[in-house]
PDB file of all heavy atoms in Angstrom:
ATOM      1  N   THR M 152     -17.572 -11.265   1.627  1.00  0.00           N
ATOM      2  CA  THR M 152     -18.485 -12.375   1.875  1.00  0.00           C
ATOM      3  C   THR M 152     -19.320 -12.627   0.628  1.00  0.00           C
ATOM      4  O   THR M 152     -19.446 -11.761  -0.244  1.00  0.00           O
ATOM      5  CB  THR M 152     -19.428 -12.079   3.057  1.00  0.00           C
ATOM      6  OG1 THR M 152     -20.345 -11.035   2.676  1.00  0.00           O
ATOM      7  CG2 THR M 152     -18.651 -11.653   4.296  1.00  0.00           C
ATOM      8  N   GLN M 153     -19.911 -13.809   0.571  1.00  0.00           N
ATOM      9  CA  GLN M 153     -20.763 -14.120  -0.572  1.00  0.00           C
ATOM     10  C   GLN M 153     -21.958 -13.178  -0.624  1.00  0.00           C
ATOM     11  O   GLN M 153     -22.378 -12.743  -1.697  1.00  0.00           O
ATOM     12  CB  GLN M 153     -21.233 -15.572  -0.513  1.00  0.00           C
ATOM     13  CG  GLN M 153     -21.991 -16.014  -1.751  1.00  0.00           C
ATOM     14  CD  GLN M 153     -21.149 -15.894  -3.007  1.00  0.00           C
ATOM     15  OE1 GLN M 153     -20.041 -16.420  -3.069  1.00  0.00           O
ATOM     16  NE2 GLN M 153     -21.655 -15.184  -4.013  1.00  0.00           N
ATOM     17  N   ARG M 154     -22.508 -12.839   0.541  1.00  0.00           N
ATOM     18  CA  ARG M 154     -23.641 -11.908   0.564  1.00  0.00           C
ATOM     19  C   ARG M 154     -23.231 -10.557  -0.019  1.00  0.00           C
ATOM     20  O   ARG M 154     -23.974  -9.951  -0.810  1.00  0.00           O
ATOM     21  CB  ARG M 154     -24.158 -11.717   1.990  1.00  0.00           C
ATOM     22  CG  ARG M 154     -25.343 -10.740   2.079  1.00  0.00           C
ATOM     23  CD  ARG M 154     -25.581 -10.256   3.493  1.00  0.00           C
ATOM     24  NE  ARG M 154     -24.440  -9.526   4.022  1.00  0.00           N
ATOM     25  CZ  ARG M 154     -24.145  -8.264   3.699  1.00  0.00           C
ATOM     26  NH1 ARG M 154     -24.882  -7.597   2.827  1.00  0.00           N
ATOM     27  NH2 ARG M 154     -23.092  -7.668   4.246  1.00  0.00           N
ATOM     28  N   GLN M 155     -22.062 -10.066   0.365  1.00  0.00           N
ATOM     29  CA  GLN M 155     -21.600  -8.786  -0.157  1.00  0.00           C
ATOM     30  C   GLN M 155     -21.432  -8.839  -1.673  1.00  0.00           C
ATOM     31  O   GLN M 155     -21.802  -7.896  -2.385  1.00  0.00           O
ATOM     32  CB  GLN M 155     -20.280  -8.399   0.516  1.00  0.00           C
ATOM     33  CG  GLN M 155     -20.434  -8.010   1.972  1.00  0.00           C
ATOM     34  CD  GLN M 155     -19.096  -7.859   2.678  1.00  0.00           C
ATOM     35  OE1 GLN M 155     -18.126  -8.551   2.353  1.00  0.00           O
ATOM     36  NE2 GLN M 155     -19.034  -6.959   3.651  1.00  0.00           N
ATOM     37  N   ALA M 156     -20.869  -9.937  -2.164  1.00  0.00           N
ATOM     38  CA  ALA M 156     -20.701 -10.084  -3.610  1.00  0.00           C
ATOM     39  C   ALA M 156     -22.054 -10.105  -4.312  1.00  0.00           C
ATOM     40  O   ALA M 156     -22.241  -9.464  -5.350  1.00  0.00           O
ATOM     41  CB  ALA M 156     -19.913 -11.351  -3.921  1.00  0.00           C
ATOM     42  N   ASP M 157     -23.010 -10.832  -3.745  1.00  0.00           N
ATOM     43  CA  ASP M 157     -24.339 -10.923  -4.346  1.00  0.00           C
ATOM     44  C   ASP M 157     -25.027  -9.562  -4.410  1.00  0.00           C
ATOM     45  O   ASP M 157     -25.789  -9.285  -5.343  1.00  0.00           O
ATOM     46  CB  ASP M 157     -25.217 -11.887  -3.551  1.00  0.00           C
ATOM     47  CG  ASP M 157     -24.772 -13.335  -3.678  1.00  0.00           C
ATOM     48  OD1 ASP M 157     -24.020 -13.646  -4.622  1.00  0.00           O
ATOM     49  OD2 ASP M 157     -25.169 -14.155  -2.820  1.00  0.00           O
ATOM     50  N   GLU M 158     -24.759  -8.722  -3.422  1.00  0.00           N
ATOM     51  CA  GLU M 158     -25.431  -7.425  -3.338  1.00  0.00           C
ATOM     52  C   GLU M 158     -24.610  -6.291  -3.935  1.00  0.00           C
ATOM     53  O   GLU M 158     -25.004  -5.123  -3.849  1.00  0.00           O
ATOM     54  CB  GLU M 158     -25.782  -7.129  -1.879  1.00  0.00           C
ATOM     55  CG  GLU M 158     -26.780  -8.135  -1.300  1.00  0.00           C
ATOM     56  CD  GLU M 158     -27.127  -7.874   0.153  1.00  0.00           C
ATOM     57  OE1 GLU M 158     -26.649  -6.859   0.703  1.00  0.00           O
ATOM     58  OE2 GLU M 158     -27.881  -8.675   0.734  1.00  0.00           O
ATOM     59  N   GLY M 159     -23.468  -6.623  -4.542  1.00  0.00           N
ATOM     60  CA  GLY M 159     -22.661  -5.603  -5.188  1.00  0.00           C
ATOM     61  C   GLY M 159     -21.919  -4.699  -4.231  1.00  0.00           C
ATOM     62  O   GLY M 159     -21.611  -3.546  -4.558  1.00  0.00           O
ATOM     63  N   GLU M 160     -21.595  -5.211  -3.046  1.00  0.00           N
ATOM     64  CA  GLU M 160     -20.829  -4.425  -2.085  1.00  0.00           C
ATOM     65  C   GLU M 160     -19.336  -4.665  -2.307  1.00  0.00           C
ATOM     66  O   GLU M 160     -18.926  -5.722  -2.792  1.00  0.00           O
ATOM     67  CB  GLU M 160     -21.225  -4.798  -0.658  1.00  0.00           C
ATOM     68  CG  GLU M 160     -22.671  -4.473  -0.324  1.00  0.00           C
ATOM     69  CD  GLU M 160     -23.022  -4.825   1.110  1.00  0.00           C
ATOM     70  OE1 GLU M 160     -22.095  -5.055   1.917  1.00  0.00           O
ATOM     71  OE2 GLU M 160     -24.227  -4.878   1.423  1.00  0.00           O
ATOM     72  N   PRO M 161     -18.498  -3.700  -1.952  1.00  0.00           N
ATOM     73  CA  PRO M 161     -17.059  -3.847  -2.202  1.00  0.00           C
ATOM     74  C   PRO M 161     -16.359  -4.709  -1.161  1.00  0.00           C
ATOM     75  O   PRO M 161     -16.867  -4.925  -0.055  1.00  0.00           O
ATOM     76  CB  PRO M 161     -16.544  -2.404  -2.138  1.00  0.00           C
ATOM     77  CG  PRO M 161     -17.509  -1.706  -1.226  1.00  0.00           C
ATOM     78  CD  PRO M 161     -18.849  -2.348  -1.469  1.00  0.00           C
ATOM     79  N   ALA M 162     -15.178  -5.184  -1.533  1.00  0.00           N
ATOM     80  CA  ALA M 162     -14.323  -5.909  -0.601  1.00  0.00           C
ATOM     81  C   ALA M 162     -13.754  -4.937   0.435  1.00  0.00           C
ATOM     82  O   ALA M 162     -13.677  -3.724   0.209  1.00  0.00           O
ATOM     83  CB  ALA M 162     -13.187  -6.593  -1.358  1.00  0.00           C
ATOM     84  N   ARG M 163     -13.354  -5.488   1.556  1.00  0.00           N
ATOM     85  CA  ARG M 163     -12.710  -4.707   2.618  1.00  0.00           C
ATOM     86  C   ARG M 163     -11.238  -5.092   2.661  1.00  0.00           C
ATOM     87  O   ARG M 163     -10.903  -6.278   2.657  1.00  0.00           O
ATOM     88  CB  ARG M 163     -13.379  -5.004   3.961  1.00  0.00           C
ATOM     89  CG  ARG M 163     -12.683  -4.410   5.179  1.00  0.00           C
ATOM     90  CD  ARG M 163     -13.505  -4.657   6.442  1.00  0.00           C
ATOM     91  NE  ARG M 163     -12.744  -4.351   7.645  1.00  0.00           N
ATOM     92  CZ  ARG M 163     -12.097  -5.247   8.375  1.00  0.00           C
ATOM     93  NH1 ARG M 163     -12.137  -6.537   8.023  1.00  0.00           N
ATOM     94  NH2 ARG M 163     -11.420  -4.896   9.447  1.00  0.00           N
ATOM     95  N   SER M 164     -10.353  -4.095   2.701  1.00  0.00           N
ATOM     96  CA  SER M 164      -8.917  -4.367   2.698  1.00  0.00           C
ATOM     97  C   SER M 164      -8.230  -3.608   3.821  1.00  0.00           C
ATOM     98  O   SER M 164      -8.622  -2.484   4.162  1.00  0.00           O
ATOM     99  CB  SER M 164      -8.285  -3.967   1.356  1.00  0.00           C
ATOM    100  OG  SER M 164      -8.753  -4.789   0.323  1.00  0.00           O
ATOM    101  N   LEU M 165      -7.201  -4.220   4.368  1.00  0.00           N
ATOM    102  CA  LEU M 165      -6.395  -3.603   5.412  1.00  0.00           C
ATOM    103  C   LEU M 165      -5.042  -4.292   5.447  1.00  0.00           C
ATOM    104  O   LEU M 165      -4.843  -5.329   4.806  1.00  0.00           O
ATOM    105  CB  LEU M 165      -7.078  -3.682   6.767  1.00  0.00           C
ATOM    106  CG  LEU M 165      -7.218  -5.056   7.441  1.00  0.00           C
ATOM    107  CD1 LEU M 165      -7.611  -4.882   8.910  1.00  0.00           C
ATOM    108  CD2 LEU M 165      -8.238  -5.935   6.750  1.00  0.00           C
ATOM    109  N   ARG M 166      -4.109  -3.724   6.185  1.00  0.00           N
ATOM    110  CA  ARG M 166      -2.764  -4.289   6.222  1.00  0.00           C
ATOM    111  C   ARG M 166      -2.260  -4.396   7.656  1.00  0.00           C
ATOM    112  O   ARG M 166      -2.765  -3.738   8.579  1.00  0.00           O
ATOM    113  CB  ARG M 166      -1.794  -3.430   5.410  1.00  0.00           C
ATOM    114  CG  ARG M 166      -1.586  -2.038   5.980  1.00  0.00           C
ATOM    115  CD  ARG M 166      -0.447  -1.299   5.298  1.00  0.00           C
ATOM    116  NE  ARG M 166      -0.312   0.063   5.815  1.00  0.00           N
ATOM    117  CZ  ARG M 166       0.377   0.387   6.906  1.00  0.00           C
ATOM    118  NH1 ARG M 166       0.993  -0.555   7.613  1.00  0.00           N
ATOM    119  NH2 ARG M 166       0.446   1.647   7.300  1.00  0.00           N
ATOM    120  N   THR M 167      -1.236  -5.203   7.815  1.00  0.00           N
ATOM    121  CA  THR M 167      -0.528  -5.280   9.084  1.00  0.00           C
ATOM    122  C   THR M 167       0.390  -4.068   9.212  1.00  0.00           C
ATOM    123  O   THR M 167       0.614  -3.336   8.235  1.00  0.00           O
ATOM    124  CB  THR M 167       0.342  -6.547   9.146  1.00  0.00           C
ATOM    125  OG1 THR M 167       1.426  -6.407   8.209  1.00  0.00           O
ATOM    126  CG2 THR M 167      -0.465  -7.788   8.799  1.00  0.00           C
ATOM    127  N   PRO M 168       0.958  -3.846  10.384  1.00  0.00           N
ATOM    128  CA  PRO M 168       2.040  -2.860  10.461  1.00  0.00           C
ATOM    129  C   PRO M 168       3.212  -3.286   9.575  1.00  0.00           C
ATOM    130  O   PRO M 168       3.346  -4.460   9.216  1.00  0.00           O
ATOM    131  CB  PRO M 168       2.437  -2.900  11.945  1.00  0.00           C
ATOM    132  CG  PRO M 168       1.259  -3.459  12.660  1.00  0.00           C
ATOM    133  CD  PRO M 168       0.630  -4.431  11.704  1.00  0.00           C
ATOM    134  N   VAL M 169       4.056  -2.338   9.223  1.00  0.00           N
ATOM    135  CA  VAL M 169       5.319  -2.655   8.555  1.00  0.00           C
ATOM    136  C   VAL M 169       6.328  -2.955   9.654  1.00  0.00           C
ATOM    137  O   VAL M 169       6.623  -2.100  10.490  1.00  0.00           O
ATOM    138  CB  VAL M 169       5.805  -1.486   7.678  1.00  0.00           C
ATOM    139  CG1 VAL M 169       7.158  -1.818   7.054  1.00  0.00           C
ATOM    140  CG2 VAL M 169       4.784  -1.171   6.592  1.00  0.00           C
ATOM    141  N   TYR M 170       6.829  -4.177   9.657  1.00  0.00           N
ATOM    142  CA  TYR M 170       7.741  -4.615  10.711  1.00  0.00           C
ATOM    143  C   TYR M 170       9.197  -4.493  10.263  1.00  0.00           C
ATOM    144  O   TYR M 170       9.488  -4.198   9.100  1.00  0.00           O
ATOM    145  CB  TYR M 170       7.451  -6.069  11.088  1.00  0.00           C
ATOM    146  CG  TYR M 170       6.075  -6.320  11.650  1.00  0.00           C
ATOM    147  CD1 TYR M 170       5.118  -7.020  10.913  1.00  0.00           C
ATOM    148  CD2 TYR M 170       5.728  -5.877  12.921  1.00  0.00           C
ATOM    149  CE1 TYR M 170       3.856  -7.269  11.433  1.00  0.00           C
ATOM    150  CE2 TYR M 170       4.465  -6.124  13.451  1.00  0.00           C
ATOM    151  CZ  TYR M 170       3.534  -6.816  12.704  1.00  0.00           C
ATOM    152  OH  TYR M 170       2.284  -7.063  13.217  1.00  0.00           O
ATOM    153  N   LYS M 171      10.109  -4.738  11.182  1.00  0.00           N
ATOM    154  CA  LYS M 171      11.532  -4.909  10.895  1.00  0.00           C
ATOM    155  C   LYS M 171      11.866  -6.367  11.200  1.00  0.00           C
ATOM    156  O   LYS M 171      11.494  -6.877  12.266  1.00  0.00           O
ATOM    157  CB  LYS M 171      12.388  -3.997  11.768  1.00  0.00           C
ATOM    158  CG  LYS M 171      12.102  -2.505  11.606  1.00  0.00           C
ATOM    159  CD  LYS M 171      12.711  -1.963  10.330  1.00  0.00           C
ATOM    160  CE  LYS M 171      12.584  -0.437  10.283  1.00  0.00           C
ATOM    161  NZ  LYS M 171      13.184   0.136   9.059  1.00  0.00           N
ATOM    162  N   ALA M 172      12.566  -7.042  10.285  1.00  0.00           N
ATOM    163  CA  ALA M 172      12.766  -8.477  10.474  1.00  0.00           C
ATOM    164  C   ALA M 172      14.125  -8.938   9.981  1.00  0.00           C
ATOM    165  O   ALA M 172      14.571  -8.569   8.892  1.00  0.00           O
ATOM    166  CB  ALA M 172      11.673  -9.263   9.758  1.00  0.00           C
ATOM    167  N   ASN M 173      14.769  -9.756  10.808  1.00  0.00           N
ATOM    168  CA  ASN M 173      15.938 -10.545  10.434  1.00  0.00           C
ATOM    169  C   ASN M 173      15.541 -12.014  10.437  1.00  0.00           C
ATOM    170  O   ASN M 173      14.426 -12.370  10.841  1.00  0.00           O
ATOM    171  CB  ASN M 173      17.090 -10.321  11.419  1.00  0.00           C
ATOM    172  CG  ASN M 173      17.745  -8.959  11.257  1.00  0.00           C
ATOM    173  OD1 ASN M 173      17.884  -8.461  10.146  1.00  0.00           O
ATOM    174  ND2 ASN M 173      18.143  -8.359  12.371  1.00  0.00           N
ATOM    175  N   ASP M 174      16.464 -12.880  10.020  1.00  0.00           N
ATOM    176  CA  ASP M 174      16.201 -14.317  10.038  1.00  0.00           C
ATOM    177  C   ASP M 174      15.704 -14.755  11.413  1.00  0.00           C
ATOM    178  O   ASP M 174      16.318 -14.440  12.442  1.00  0.00           O
ATOM    179  CB  ASP M 174      17.477 -15.097   9.712  1.00  0.00           C
ATOM    180  CG  ASP M 174      17.862 -14.995   8.249  1.00  0.00           C
ATOM    181  OD1 ASP M 174      17.082 -14.415   7.474  1.00  0.00           O
ATOM    182  OD2 ASP M 174      18.947 -15.493   7.887  1.00  0.00           O
ATOM    183  N   GLY M 175      14.585 -15.483  11.431  1.00  0.00           N
ATOM    184  CA  GLY M 175      14.071 -16.051  12.667  1.00  0.00           C
ATOM    185  C   GLY M 175      13.209 -15.124  13.495  1.00  0.00           C
ATOM    186  O   GLY M 175      12.620 -15.562  14.490  1.00  0.00           O
TER     187      GLY M 175
END
Side-chain angles (χ1 to χ4, degrees):
T152 69
Q153 187 60 54
R154 180 197 62 77
Q155 289 170 328
D157 291 342
E158 297 179 4
E160 296 181 15
R163 172 175 168 263
S164 293
L165 69 166
R166 65 170 177 85
T167 69
V169 177
Y170 298 110
K171 300 283 188 179
N173 287 323
D174 287 354

